[in-house]
Structures are given as C-alpha cells and as structure tokens.
Amino acid sequence: MIEETKVLTSRIHKKDSHTLESYREDGGYEAAAMALAMDPDEVTAIVKDSGLRGRGGAGFPTGLKWTFLPKDRDFTYLCVNADESEPGTFKDRVILDLDPHLMIEGTVISCHALKSEHAFIYIRGEFCRPYRRLVAAVQEAYEAGILGDNVLGTGRKLDITIHKGAGAYICGEETALLNSIEGLRGQPRIKPPFPTNHGLFGRSTVINNVETLANVPVILKEGAEVYRSRGTEKSPGTRLFSVSGHVERPGVYELEHGVSFKDMLNDICGGVKGGRALKAVVPGGSSVPVLTAEESMKLQMDFESCQECGTMLGSAGVIVMDETTDMVWALDKLTHFYAHESCGQCTPCREGTGWVAELVHLINQGRAKSADFDKLIDLGTQICGNTICVFSDAVFMPVMSYTTKFRSEFESKLIDSAPVHEKVGA
Amino acid sequence: MATTEKTEVKFSEARKQEIERIRGRYETPRGLIMPLLWMIQDDYGWISYDAMELIAGECETSPAWVYSIATFYTMFELEKPIRYHLQVCNTLSCGLCGSESILAHLEDRLGIQAGESTEDGRFRLTAVECLASCGTGPMMQMNDEYYESLTTEKVDAMLEEWNCD
Amino acid sequence: MAKITINGVEQAVEDGLYLIEAARRCGVDIPHYCYHPGLPVEGNCRMCSVEVEGIPKLQTACTTIVQDGMVVITDSEKVVGERSDVMEFLLRNHPIDCPICDQAGECGLQDYYMEHGLHDSRITVSEKVKKKKRVDLGPNVVLDSERCILCTRCVRFCKDVVGTEELVIKNRSNHAEITTFPGKGLVNPYALNTVDICPVGALTSRKFRFQCRVWYMKNATSICPGCERGCNIWIDHHENKIQRLRPRLNPDVNNYWMCDEGRLDFHWINDDRVLRAEGPDGLMRPDEADRAVLALLSNPGDVLIVASPRSTNESLFALKRFVEVALPGAALTGGSFRPTGDDDGFLRLPDKNPNSRGMREIGIAGDLENRLNGSAGVVLVFENDLLGDRPDLESVLAGKKVVAFTSNRTATARGADLVVPVTTYAELNGSFTNHAGLRQEFRSAIRPPGDSRSVFDVVKSLSGLLGKELGWESETALTKEMTDVITGWGVRVEEETELHAG
Ligand SMILES: Cc1cc2nc3c(=O)[nH]c(=O)nc-3n(C[C@H](O)[C@H](O)[C@H](O)COP(=O)(O)O)c2cc1C
Ligand code: SF4
Ligand code: SF4
Ligand code: SF4
Ligand code: FES
Ligand code: FES
C-alpha cells in the first residue's frame, strides 16, 4: 500500500494555508532569506544539482534552462506560467489557491538566481478564487517587505506583476504567454530567437511553471541531495498528479516520480470507478498518446518510463477511462477542444484542427465513410511538423494513438465498414 | 462616443490611480490592453466598442487592435452582460463523469440550447473547454465561481436559488 | 558573403538575408504567401518550407537567415508534399470562384492550385466555414473573407508600414477573420496597397472590380505625377486606355508602395481630352494651329511663356531652348498654383507637382505671379491650369491673348483664345526630378490621342516656322545634352523589378 509523499502539499489541508501568517508558521520564506545571502550562481547550481525538471509539460531541466541566459543581458524577466489549461491538469490551481506563498517564495529565490527584478505571473483568467488569493498574497508579501525595493532587508529589488489571462489555452505556450502580456494576440512566436535571449519586451526571459517554482524553496531548504533522494535518478522529486475520470477518488496527489501507475490507481485513487475494468489511460494531460489498460499496468510515472512506454509524462494529468468509454467519443471531445484552441496563425493547424475535429465528429455520429477515416489519419501527419509551435503535435498525438490503439472502435462506426467489429463502449 | 445614448464609459478616479500604478510595469503602452479590458469588464460587466476606443487611447493603439485582442480570448464579454452565465465544462474528464447529461439537463430546464440565452436575458448557457477542475467533474463556472461535482439535483437547487433572485 | 548550396548548386549570397530572398537572388523561387519583402516576417502560411541539411524538421525559408555552408533543398518530395498539404488546407475553406474573381490571373492560390492542387472526391464534403462575402472596408477596398488565407500581409502593412493598425484579425482558430474596427473603415491614404499585396482575391479595389481581366493588360514603367515624391509606378493599359496604376519597387523612393490619390488619379488621361486645336474660328489642324500661334509672336517682348512643374524635364528644357533660340526677348516663367497638401511622414509630400525641382534645376524662374501681373499681352501657357487652380486670375488674364497648350479641357483652356492639344506623361518618354533631386525616367504607355503632340514637337515646329533650329535631331539628343549640362542628372535610375517579387 503506497501513500502520498507530501512535500509541496504538506500545508494545503491546514486552515488558512493561503495566508502569510500560516506560511510563516511553517518556516515560510526562510529558504528565501537563506538564498538571498548566497551568490545567485550558487543558487542556480543547487537547483541544477537537484535535477529539478519543468512541471509545465516538457520536463526540461530547470537549472540548465537558467544557465542559457546570456551573461551580458541588461534586464531579466521571470514569467511564472500559471495558465494551467491542459485538459486533465488541475494541480497548479491547488498551489495558487491553497499555498500561493510557496510559489511566491520560489519566485523570490529564482529571481535572485536569475538576477531578475521583475516577475510576471500569468494566471489563467477563469481562476477566480486562486486569483484573489494570489493578489492578496502578493500584497501581503509587499507589505511584509518580501517584495519591493528592499527584499527581505537585502536592499535588492523585486516586483511581481500579476497578469490575468482571459480564456485561451494557447497562452500556456511560453511565447504566446509573452505576447499576451505584451498586448499582442496570444500567438506563439517563431523560435529562434528563444526567450532566454529575446523574451518579454525583447528582454532575456525565463518561463517556469507554478509547480516547478514551488519546488525551489524545498530544494534550497533541504539541499539537492535530500531532494534527489525522492523520485528516480532522472526524474527526481515528487510530482503533483492530477487524477480525473473513472476513478473512485479523483484529485491531486503528491507522489514520488517513478511510482507505478497501478499502485497510484489502486492505493491512492481507490481503483477504477465502480470496480469496472480499466480501458485506457492518458498519463500526462490530454496532449500525450493514450495507453491501453495493458500498457498502463507496466507504466511507471516518471519522464523516462513514460517515454519508453511510447507516451509522455507531460503535465502529469492522469485521465482514467473505464470499459464503458467510447474511445471515438473521447477523441471527439479532445479534437473539439483543440479546434477551439488553435491560435489560428499557421495554415496547417488553423485549417487542419478544424477538419480533424469535424471528421472525428462525423465518425462518432456514424456518418462517416472509410475514406474519411483514412483522411483523418493522413491529416494527423499533415498537420504535424510544419507549424510555429508544437500545438500541432498535441493534436497529432491523441489522433494517432486513439485511432491506432482503438482502431476497431473507429471502424465499427463507419457507414461502409465491414460489420465484423462489435460496437464497443457506450 | 457622444453620438450614442449609451452610458458613458470611463475609468473612475480609483481606476485611474490603479492604471498609473501598473503602467510602469509594462514596457510598452500596449501591455496595458488586457488589464484595462479586465477593469472595464469588472466595472461594467461587458466591453462595449466605446470602451475599446477608450482603452485604445490609453494604450496608444488603435481601437481595431483592442478589438483584435478582445476577440482572441473567450472570456471577454462583448455583448450586453447576462445575470447568470452558466459555463459547463464539456472536455474529456468532465465528459467521462457525465457533463453531457448536466448540459442536457440545463438545456431542458432553461429551455435553451448551449450557446443561447434565455429570453428574459437572465441566463446564458455555454459549453466551455476544460476549466482545470477535472478532478471534481462534472463542473461549471457561474460568473466568477466554480460549482463542482455537479448532479442534476444540485443543479436544480442552484436554479431554484437563482430564479428567486 | 555566405556560401550556400541550393538544390545542389553552390552560390555566394549576402549575409543576413532570409533564405527565401537569398534563393530568389540565386534564381530559385520558393512558393510563399505570407512573406513579402516590404513587410516584417511572420512565417504563418508555411508554404515556403524547405529542407535544410542537418535539421530534421522542414524550415520556413522566410524566417530562416542564411548561414555559411547551409545546404538547402527546395524541390524534394518532402518539400513538395508539404506544399501540397498546405494548399489542401488553404483550399478547403476557399470558395474557388476564380471565374468571378478579380485576382484570377494574378492569384497565388490559383497558380499553385494548378500545380499542386488535389481533390479526393471520396471524402465527405462538409460545409465550408462561411464568412462574409462582400464587405466594403472603406471607400476603395472590398474584402471577401471567404477568399482570405489569413496571411496577415494587409494587417502588417497597416501596422508596420502606415502605422494606422486599421486592419486586424478578429477571433482565433478557423474562425479568424480580417476586419476593421466595427463601424470604421479602412481609410488610410495608402489603403489600396493592401490590394496589391493580398496574394489572393480577398482584397480587391472597388474601382477596379470586374473592369478588365488582368491577362489582357500591358504595362509600362512610369512615375506618378501626383506629388514631388515621384513614386515609381506601372501603368497597366488595354486598348490604349489606362486601366490602373500600380507601385513599382524603388527602395530609394517609394519601396513597394504608393498613395491612393496618386493611384486613382488617371481618369483625366483617358477622358475629357483635347483632341484638336481650337481657335475662335473653330477646329484647326496642327499646322494651322502653329501658324495661328506664330501670328501672336511678332513682338517677343510682349510674350510671356508659362511653364509648369507638371511638365517633364525634356519639355521644360526644350521650352527654355525655344525661348533662347527662337524667341529672344520673350519672358519665360514657371510655377504652379496647385493647392499644397501635407507631408504625412510617409510618401505624400506637400507640393502636388512632380517636377518642381527639375524646373528649378533647368533654370526656369518661379516668378509666375509677378510675371502674370506684368504687361505681357500674349501668354503661352504650357500644361498649367492657372484658372483651375486660381479662378481669381481671370481678371488678370482678361486683357491678354492666351494660348493654352493642354491635354485636357481645363478652366484655362476654356478661357483661352487658342487651345493646342499636348500629350500627358503617359504618352511620353521623359523624366521628372523628384524632391530629393533624383531624375527618374519613364516610358510612354499609350499612343497620344487625336492631334496631341509633345511639347518638344510643338516648340520644334514653332522654331521651324520662325526659321530657327533647336539643335537636336531627336529627343534622345535633347536628353543627352540635358543630362550632360545639369549636374547630377547623368545617373539614370531605372528599376524594373516586378512588384510581387516572385
Ligand atoms: C500548447 C501548449 C500549452 C501549454 N500550456 C502550458 C500551461 O498551461 N502551463 C504550463 O506551465 N506550461 C504550459 N506549456 C509549456 C510551456 O510552453 C513551457 O514549456 C513551460 O511553462 C516551461 O516551464 P517549466 O520548464 O517549468 O515546465 C504549454 C506548451 C504548449 C506547447
Ligand atoms: S501550431 Fe497552431 S497554435 Fe501553434 S502557432 Fe501554429 S496555429 Fe497557433
Ligand atoms: S485579406 Fe489578403 S492580405 Fe489580408 S490576410 Fe487575407 S489573404 Fe492576406
Ligand atoms: S505619394 Fe505622391 S508620387 Fe507617390 S503615389 Fe502619392 S501622389 Fe504619387
Ligand atoms: S475536463 Fe472539465 S475541468 Fe477539466
Ligand atoms: S512564406 Fe514563409 S511561412 Fe509564409
């Protein structure tokens, strides 16, 4: 029987956990005080040694990213990505809502390491209570001298500006996020140049996810070595898993990287809902390839194992689907989402996602022919690889994996399919 | 602005101070567009064309540019506001937990289809994409608040309350 | 310089160029929609994707800067396949109404459609996304949203070239659409350039809509006579009528652009022309007209010759020589009462004459007003609508004999004793010298209507009658002498790059 390892979430069940007072009772901002006494490069080195990897989706080593900043930069921004919009992912919301100071402390420390005097927090527009709490927490931090012109009495400067999104999944993509702050359309930028060289308002910029930054105070407090003792060699530390769909106890759970999916499902989440059989699992947010029940039983929840399994850990949004699930219907839901969320600038993505959604919908409604299904598969590859951002891959991966792994379900819905397949699902 | 009979849109004194406070945070005037769109929406419930012109003036850009930004996002209300805007998440996780039946139930009870408003202009029903509350699906957002782990009974109770208001 | 290899051929190109531009200079055209050399790059259409050795993904040639040693393939199966994918996407929601589209013949979509287009009739044909079909964007430009491929060239033009930000994209995903602010039009004075740069038939000129199929038209290089900027233009004509004017690339003058006023100001060349000389006794043949003029020149001291900064350098130079050689004693003056405009910081300049600087440099004095008020009893007005620009001059001219050498039935022509038709700039080889001192040559586009003659021919004939020689066998000889004597005019600028660079 496994249990949660509550490192980042150790406080969230406390009363008023979102306040500065409560945060300070638990030793809040001590790590920041410690870090600010150190040389910035030393702080970066510790984060690098910890092996911390980005929690926003790509899993890029955080310390390494920080070292990409050019030495001769004139001004540096840190942008905190709190746009959490990947379907199946809802863990940043928990931090923002229940322990915003943890993330703010992570921001204070990181800004010191990056020599940044201004951080933006880009928060998803729909997050209302988390927004109010974040605003209040930043206010508290200013009043307590944690932010402002004399950060924790060190004479250093740091401002945090909260920028509220307004309903656009694509603004979670880091360069779209920058454009959105700049008052441009929230469309991803062509890379290169990369944000570390040419980011917000043309300045050197680092973008990190909320959860990534929430790890930073922990790392500073307990040291890289202790931090590394949790998780796996290449995916150190704990992870906030958002579990949704057909499980008995959905929710956000903090577990060590490398935990087996099976244990997580059964021990933590109470198993598949109603004791039904498992059919499919999306382990890392809606954009990663789906796994069959069989594949998922061998899965460990860390970056490498997911990759070996032909999928990705992504944002650790785990969507569980039981035997009653109609996989065509499921893909219909997802492709509808992507068609709605394409920023629309690249031809293949703008036109292709709409087309894909339409074909999947036709199939789901039983109005499509086998040529339509073939076209759908073609479209998957046509959209991918020739676009400004990887949103197109995020469409491609579900389409290809659902249609390959659950092909018969699709075929059985085609008008001109040979009636050899049983109709599966609801 | 003067030619229409609509209420005049303007920033209050308090808002003006707030704007001056944040202006320095954005290196270009355009950066203020989203914060100002939010202020207008918070103060007036929606964003009229007049308001866009006002914002354009503050941000040293054209009204067209503000319009482009306002229409890029889904949360900016460009039509007259609605008393109760029910936004039911209909993405995968909520779908797995029965969001479609919640949506159907609401359509039934309100007598409108998703995407429409009731005739009295009090309710609008929208099917929206994932609101990052997938662990407590089905769920919806009513104006600013999340309502989670919905059942048809819960929905009926809410409608009862809102209808009396 | 950077050495790059395109399709197996090694070439040296300038550093810092975008690959698409470098390739073009090496003679390799990479299909593209959103790229335009006069606009900032955006890389959104994905049409220009090519293979760059060492990079697994295709790269967009319009956003990739050349690097020494770069090996590029623009015609592999992968590249061509990608292109037809993009085409397929673009055409999915496109109405394909070429037969009624003004852009037909000049359409980037139609061209590539023929080359790469494909259609699979087995696929369930769904509703195309319906968008607005005919939106008047302003006085001059019409938008068909269904034809738009969202390349944002027009948006970038308004934002980055003119700075008005009038055109934008509203919405996102495949609901994205080009629009102005609701209730406002596309009213900047350069709006019609968006029609030129729109790679498909989404933006069309209200004036040009359905008037003439582009493949019938011929074109000639010319210079806009609308102001002293001297934008380089193409005159597109058909059956000896001008159909439209378009900007012609000149990085030193107007880049790819021109103003709408200049562009639309050509109807006077087609219409309302003076075809025959006309005196008190009715119509005259050219030789009759010349003799009638001659009869007025018996006392050169009583003659005032009025030149115009709308005339070509060649006409002005000939006129000056005419006075010096054939009519010594007559006064020569020049100038214009055309109302001035503003310098808008982009192209349009206050002086609405194309050749004020040329006139000055040729040495024609600008003391027009004084001279008119002088005692001369005979006034020969060359291409100058004195009365149209200044109706109050009627009283000044009242007691004088006025000969109007004019292309059109102007107010001055109506008040003249004798009217002699002359050509417009569109019917001449000639040059204007712009505000910056650049002498820019142009070619005649159409044949002179009726008895219209060039000023050179007129004064040559008059000198002959007076028994004098101007000293040039031909206009070429005139030009040679003129460019020899006037400093800085020896350099000929004649840029013939096609507008849509590829
Ligand atoms: C389409 C798309 C959507 C994304 N959405 C988010 C998001 O909502 N939150 C997030 O933190 N990262 C998101 N990302 C990843 C970010 O681009 C970026 O990699 C991340 O914020 C970096 O932070 P990290 O290194 O701390 O993970 C998204 C990426 C893509 C391509
Ligand atoms: S791939 Fe899609 S989301 Fe990404 S930039 Fe292109 S159109 Fe926008
Ligand atoms: S109207 Fe023409 S130029 Fe403008 S975006 Fe559409 S296709 Fe491009
Ligand atoms: S700016 Fe002047 S020269 Fe250029 S097109 Fe306009 S009127 Fe003609
Ligand atoms: S799927 Fe409904 S909140 Fe995420
Ligand atoms: S021309 Fe390069 S992407 Fe459009």
Side-chain angles (χ1 to χ4, degrees):
Chain A
M1 197 70 180
I2 62 158
E3 282 180 12
E4 277 195 81
T5 311
K6 297 191 174 182
V7 180
L8 305 187
T9 54
S10 60
R11 308 183 53 260
I12 61 172
H13 300 290
K14 294 194 175 170
K15 188 169 176 295
D16 294 332
S17 61
H18 59 281
T19 62
L20 179 59
E21 194 187 341
S22 157
Y23 189 61
R24 279 223 148 121
E25 273 167 21
D26 292 316
Y29 291 105
E30 283 168 13
M34 204 172 82
L36 262 73
M38 293 195 259
D39 184 70
D41 291 343
E42 216 178 315
V43 180
T44 304
I46 294 174
V47 172
K48 211 170 163 183
D49 288 346
S50 75
L52 174 65
R53 295 175 65 169
R55 307 298 200 233
F60 196 85
T62 306
L64 184 61
K65 174 155 48 178
W66 293 1
T67 61
F68 290 163
L69 286 170
K71 289 268 173 296
D72 57 354
R73 62 192 189 271
D74 54 352
F75 196 89
T76 313
Y77 283 111
L78 171 67
C79 288
V80 185
N81 193 338
D83 191 48
E84 186 161 59
S85 338
E86 174 83 359
T89 315
F90 45 101
K91 41 93 183 171
D92 294 339
R93 186 163 76 100
V94 170
I95 299 176
L96 294 163
D97 197 30
L98 300 175
D99 204 358
H101 281 287
L102 178 64
M103 187 202 73
I104 295 173
E105 183 172 12
T107 305
V108 172
I109 298 169
S110 305
C111 281
H112 176 59
L114 302 169
K115 302 185 187 122
S116 165
E117 296 186 346
H118 192 174
F120 276 86
I121 300 176
Y122 190 99
I123 181 168
R124 194 175 168 173
E126 289 90 341
F127 285 174
C128 287
R129 192 175 77 175
Y131 174 75
R132 289 195 294 270
R133 287 190 168 173
L134 181 63
V135 170
V138 166
Q139 184 64 30
E140 282 179 315
Y142 267 105
E143 282 160 13
I146 296 162
L147 297 174
D149 292 336
N150 186 10
V151 176
L152 291 167
T154 58
R156 294 206 180 79
K157 235 178 90 85
L158 177 60
D159 280 317
I160 288 186
T161 304
I162 302 171
H163 188 97
K164 193 171 166 188
Y169 166 69
I170 195 61
C171 288
E173 195 280 343
E174 55 188 23
T175 56
L177 181 148
L178 300 180
N179 278 349
S180 182
I181 295 176
E182 288 189 25
L184 309 172
R185 287 168 63 81
Q187 301 181 157
R189 298 179 182 173
I190 290 180
K191 283 149 279 188
F194 292 96
T196 40
N197 286 296
H198 189 93
L200 189 62
F201 299 111
R203 315 269 192 183
S204 292
T205 303
V206 165
I207 298 108
N208 275 125
N209 169 262
V210 169
E211 184 188 344
T212 310
L213 292 173
N215 274 278
V216 171
V218 175
I219 292 168
L220 263 285
K221 209 178 274 180
E222 52 181 35
E225 208 162 316
V226 178
Y227 183 83
R228 274 188 168 280
S229 68
R230 289 183 288 262
T232 68
E233 153 103 51
K234 290 199 169 135
S235 306
T238 59
R239 190 69 189 255
L240 300 184
F241 291 97
S242 317
V243 188
S244 66
H246 293 145
V247 293
E248 279 296 333
R249 289 192 299 274
V252 173
Y253 300 103
E254 185 172 6
L255 301 165
E256 290 186 40
H257 271 126
V259 62
S260 88
F261 168 73
K262 193 175 171 187
D263 290 346
M264 176 164 93
L265 175 67
N266 293 325
D267 299 354
I268 304 288
C269 304
V272 178
K273 203 165 185 175
R276 287 190 292 266
L278 183 67
K279 182 174 192 177
V281 178
V282 176
S286 67
S287 305
V288 310
V290 67
L291 298 179
T292 61
E294 199 186 0
E295 287 170 322
S296 74
M297 283 304 119
K298 298 173 291 193
L299 182 70
Q300 277 157 18
M301 304 301 284
D302 58 79
F303 289 106
E304 284 65 37
S305 308
C306 282
Q307 208 156 2
E308 278 162 30
C309 225
T311 184
M312 293 189 302
L313 186 57
S315 61
V318 183
I319 307 172
V320 176
M321 293 178 253
D322 72 16
E323 56 186 335
T324 65
T325 312
D326 175 345
M327 297 307 283
V328 184
W329 168 90
L331 186 63
D332 189 6
K333 283 265 173 271
L334 288 184
T335 50
H336 182 273
F337 168 83
Y338 288 109
H340 185 254
E341 298 298 340
S342 161
C343 87
Q345 61 175 332
C346 316
T347 307
C349 175
R350 177 184 65 242
E351 305 297 332
T353 48
W355 198 349
V356 162
E358 203 177 292
L359 288 175
V360 176
H361 193 60
L362 277 179
I363 299 173
N364 188 33
Q365 290 183 319
R367 296 198 289 135
K369 298 173 287 200
S370 47
D372 295 317
F373 183 62
D374 296 343
K375 183 68 215 173
L376 174 64
I377 311 276
D378 282 353
L379 279 177
T381 45
Q382 277 178 283
I383 292 169
C384 200
N386 184 20
T387 49
I388 290 174
C389 83
V390 294
F391 179 94
S392 53
D393 299 77
V395 184
F396 171 81
M397 287 188 284
V399 169
M400 294 322 270
S401 59
Y402 282 68
T403 52
T404 315
K405 294 180 182 176
F406 301 95
R407 189 180 178 103
S408 61
E409 290 191 37
F410 285 82
E411 286 174 342
S412 69
K413 288 201 176 192
L414 302 173
I415 303 171
D416 52 355
S417 69
V420 283
H421 307 290
E422 276 281 301
K423 189 170 183 279
V424 196
Chain B
M1 234 186 285
T3 54
T4 56
E5 282 178 281
K6 280 172 261 165
T7 36
E8 198 194 340
V9 191
K10 55 176 196 284
F11 291 113
S12 65
E13 279 312 310
R15 283 299 196 195
K16 280 184 187 153
Q17 282 171 16
E18 193 183 342
I19 294 168
E20 288 325 308
R21 256 203 321 279
I22 59 171
R23 199 186 286 280
R25 297 291 180 94
Y26 293 86
E27 287 193 42
T28 57
R30 225 185 275 268
L32 279 176
I33 294 181
M34 283 183 81
L36 297 195
L37 283 167
W38 273 122
M39 283 183 201
I40 294 283
Q41 177 146 323
D42 289 346
D43 293 350
Y44 292 88
W46 69 299
I47 299 159
S48 63
Y49 294 147
D50 288 349
M52 292 182 205
E53 297 200 42
L54 179 70
I55 292 171
E58 286 290 336
C59 301
E60 296 171 32
T61 177
S62 71
W65 190 270
V66 177
Y67 182 62
S68 173
I69 303 302
T71 55
F72 183 85
Y73 302 95
T74 54
M75 290 185 74
F76 291 127
E77 194 57 64
L78 306 185
E79 288 164 35
K80 288 269 185 204
I82 289 283
R83 181 76 184 84
Y84 298 104
H85 188 183
L86 313 186
Q87 304 170 66
V88 181
C89 170
N90 200 22
T91 309
L92 181 56
S93 297
C94 286
L96 291 168
C97 300
S99 63
E100 285 176 353
S101 61
I102 295 293
L103 199 56
H105 185 68
L106 278 165
E107 288 179 337
D108 206 40
R109 286 289 316 267
L110 295 170
I112 52 173
Q113 297 290 301
E116 297 175 349
S117 306
T118 54
E119 268 188 15
D120 60 9
R122 282 167 58 78
F123 290 91
R124 181 182 301 149
L125 182 62
T126 318
V128 298
E129 300 298 346
C130 178
L131 290 168
S133 188
C134 331
T136 42
M139 61 81 63
M140 71 173 168
Q141 181 171 11
M142 194 286 291
N143 298 349
D144 274 4
E145 297 301 327
Y146 277 16
Y147 294 80
E148 298 165 294
S149 308
L150 296 176
T151 59
T152 47
E153 291 76 29
K154 274 195 187 176
V155 167
D156 285 339
M158 290 171 200
L159 287 180
E160 192 116 338
E161 191 190 320
W162 297 331
N163 262 323
C164 295
D165 159 278
Chain C
M1 289 304 247
K3 276 222 169 68
I4 58 170
T5 309
I6 303 181
N7 300 336
V9 185
E10 195 181 88
Q11 322 232 23
V13 296
E14 242 172 89
D15 284 319
L17 283 183
Y18 286 116
L19 189 49
I20 197 167
E21 196 55 38
R24 193 184 63 84
R25 295 188 192 180
C26 300
V28 177
D29 260 324
I30 300 174
H32 58 275
Y33 291 124
C34 68
Y35 173 75
H36 185 286
L39 301 171
V41 295
E42 206 159 82
N44 58 39
C45 76
R46 316 308 289 176
M47 190 65 180
C48 68
S49 293
V50 295
E51 277 188 70
V52 177
E53 201 178 84
I55 308 177
K57 272 193 178 186
L58 294 180
Q59 299 292 302
T60 39
C62 71
T63 63
T64 306
I65 293 180
V66 288
Q67 269 164 12
D68 200 38
M70 211 174 228
V71 179
V72 183
I73 304 171
T74 73
D75 55 3
S76 64
E77 206 174 305
K78 191 170 164 192
V79 171
V80 173
E82 193 60 59
R83 239 173 251 161
S84 59
D85 284 352
V86 170
M87 284 309 302
E88 188 179 1
F89 286 131
L90 284 177
L91 288 165
R92 190 172 106 83
N93 282 313
H94 194 85
I96 317 195
D97 49 2
C98 312
I100 55 157
C101 178
D102 277 341
Q103 196 80 3
E106 290 182 310
C107 175
L109 218 44
Q110 199 183 29
D111 295 352
Y112 299 144
Y113 180 56
M114 299 302 172
E115 260 175 69
H116 310 280
L118 26 94
H119 259 295
D120 186 343
S121 53
R122 297 171 306 144
I123 300 167
T124 307
V125 183
S126 48
E127 284 278 292
K128 299 192 179 218
V129 176
K130 283 266 179 292
K131 291 179 184 166
K132 295 210 183 90
K133 263 317 257 183
R134 200 204 140 107
V135 188
D136 285 326
L137 283 186
N140 296 331
V141 181
V142 182
L143 165 71
D144 181 331
S145 261
E146 283 181 2
R147 289 185 189 147
C148 170
I149 59 166
L150 293 163
C151 71
T152 74
R153 278 184 180 188
C154 57
V155 173
R156 282 174 281 153
F157 174 76
C158 292
K159 177 172 181 287
D160 300 303
V161 179
V162 197
T164 52
E165 293 179 356
E166 287 162 291
L167 284 181
V168 293
I169 296 183
K170 74 165 178 190
N171 304 335
R172 64 173 192 232
S173 71
N174 61 358
H175 296 288
E177 230 178 298
I178 293 293
T179 183
T180 53
F181 188 64
K184 287 219 171 130
L186 175 62
V187 293
N188 79 63
Y190 299 92
L192 280 167
N193 291 293
T194 60
V195 173
D196 294 334
I197 57 175
C198 179
V200 295
L203 295 176
T204 46
S205 161
R206 210 223 283 265
K207 306 267 157 52
F208 187 67
R209 260 176 93 96
F210 311 126
Q211 285 192 4
C212 180
R213 282 298 192 175
V214 294
W215 48 78
Y216 294 131
M217 294 193 290
K218 297 199 182 63
N219 50 53
T221 60
S222 195
I223 301 295
C224 172
C227 80
E228 58 175 343
R229 174 75 61 188
C231 293
N232 293 210
I233 58 171
W234 292 106
I235 297 182
D236 289 348
H237 54 95
H238 176 54
E239 294 180 342
N240 215 44
K241 293 277 180 218
I242 297 182
Q243 299 295 330
R244 62 178 181 184
L245 307 180
R246 282 179 301 139
R248 183 166 52 92
L249 173 62
N250 187 340
D252 297 326
V253 178
N254 56 313
N255 218 353
Y256 297 86
W257 325 115
M258 74 186 294
C259 78
D260 287 4
E261 210 179 308
R263 183 192 299 256
L264 295 173
D265 189 24
F266 62 84
H267 295 283
W268 58 278
I269 300 168
N270 290 343
D271 306 322
D272 204 27
R273 291 290 294 268
V274 179
L275 298 176
R276 305 269 176 265
E278 201 172 342
D281 303 325
L283 298 181
M284 292 181 274
R285 290 193 314 271
D287 58 313
E288 291 168 346
D290 289 353
R291 272 193 295 277
V293 176
L294 197 68
L296 296 170
L297 301 180
S298 53
N299 177 10
D302 193 34
V303 176
L304 173 65
I305 300 199
V306 176
S308 162
R310 298 191 62 69
S311 296
T312 64
N313 288 315
E314 291 69 15
S315 298
L316 294 170
F317 199 71
L319 205 52
K320 184 160 178 256
R321 175 64 55 88
F322 168 69
V323 177
E324 287 163 2
V325 175
L327 215 55
L332 173 62
T333 184
S336 166
F337 297 121
R338 284 206 137 198
T340 53
D342 292 325
D343 180 350
D344 65 3
F346 181 29
L347 295 177
R348 295 189 309 163
L349 289 172
D351 186 344
K352 296 300 171 196
N353 298 295
N355 203 26
S356 297
R357 174 130 184 195
M359 196 180 78
R360 275 202 306 282
E361 295 194 4
I362 285 170
I364 296 179
D367 51 354
L368 180 55
E369 178 121 39
N370 281 345
R371 290 287 187 178
L372 284 174
N373 285 317
S375 61
V378 176
V379 186
L380 269 49
V381 185
F382 284 88
E383 304 188 84
N384 205 333
D385 187 10
L386 299 172
L387 290 180
D389 297 335
R390 279 274 301 277
D392 62 296
L393 289 175
E394 204 181 331
S395 55
V396 177
L397 293 179
K400 305 179 194 284
K401 285 267 176 227
V402 176
V403 183
F405 295 89
T406 177
S407 55
N408 289 74
R409 304 191 171 283
T410 59
T412 310
R414 282 191 295 275
D417 300 276
L418 199 56
V419 179
V420 182
V422 293
T423 51
T424 67
Y425 78 103
E427 294 130 18
L428 273 180
N429 292 336
S431 68
F432 294 138
T433 300
N434 80 352
H435 71 113
L438 195 65
R439 190 178 83 88
Q440 307 192 93
E441 296 195 343
F442 49 85
R443 323 292 301 164
S444 83
I446 53 174
R447 292 184 311 278
D451 289 341
S452 312
R453 289 172 295 164
S454 68
V455 171
F456 174 72
D457 283 339
V458 170
V459 296
K460 200 170 144 192
S461 159
L462 288 175
S463 346
L465 292 172
L466 286 163
K468 302 287 186 228
E469 278 294 329
L470 293 181
W472 305 302
E473 280 307 303
S474 63
E475 286 201 49
T476 327
L478 181 160
T479 308
K480 173 142 191 349
E481 188 187 328
M482 181 178 73
T483 51
D484 282 349
V485 287
I486 301 178
T487 345
W489 283 21
V491 209
R492 287 181 42 180
V493 187
E494 204 168 342
E495 184 87 46
E496 295 209 24
T497 325
E498 180 48 75
L499 176 70
H500 299 275

